[in-house]
Amino acid sequence: MSDHHGYSEKDVQREVSELEAQSATAARIFDLRRIIGGLFVVYGIIVTIAGINPSDADLDKAEGININLWTGLGMLLLGIFFLAWLKLRPTPPPVQAPKDEA
């Protein structure tokens, strides 16, 4: 019964192992910390650049506070935090269930 449809038990186990490895790789690539951190870093850089030379009208709207600069720096720090968290605590590989040797 192990040779059902031309596949041996060894072929099925090899295929399952390959799929588990691909699944683990996809989980690491699409970790939300990477996506959120990357977006915050990119947007933080853009907003910080916009806040480097504010116009007088922008400063008057924000009551003298350079809101773009401070918001951009905050976003940049949050993005770096997420990326550092990802680097220091990577996604663990999936735990394989013990296989019954029958």
Side-chain angles (χ1 to χ4, degrees):
M1 189 180 225
S2 64
D3 288 328
H4 190 266
H5 295 289
Y7 293 108
S8 69
E9 185 68 28
K10 197 175 207 180
D11 291 336
V12 172
Q13 287 179 354
R14 182 180 44 81
E15 189 71 26
V16 167
S17 297
E18 288 175 5
L19 289 173
E20 285 175 346
Q22 290 174 355
S23 176
T25 302
R28 283 191 294 272
I29 289 173
F30 294 111
D31 190 346
L32 285 178
R33 295 175 293 180
R34 180 184 315 269
I35 296 168
I36 292 171
L39 285 175
F40 267 102
V41 166
V42 169
Y43 291 144
I45 290 170
I46 292 169
V47 174
T48 301
I49 290 171
I52 289 177
N53 291 322
S55 67
D56 291 334
D58 288 340
L59 288 176
D60 289 340
K61 282 188 215 176
E63 298 181 7
I65 299 171
N66 191 349
I67 196 85
N68 284 339
L69 181 64
W70 289 110
T71 303
L73 290 174
M75 291 171 74
L76 194 58
L77 288 175
L78 184 63
I80 290 170
F81 166 75
F82 272 98
L83 294 176
W85 179 21
L86 177 68
K87 189 72 169 172
L88 295 174
R89 293 268 194 173
T91 305
V95 179
Q96 294 181 350
K99 296 179 182 171
D100 294 335
E101 297 292 330

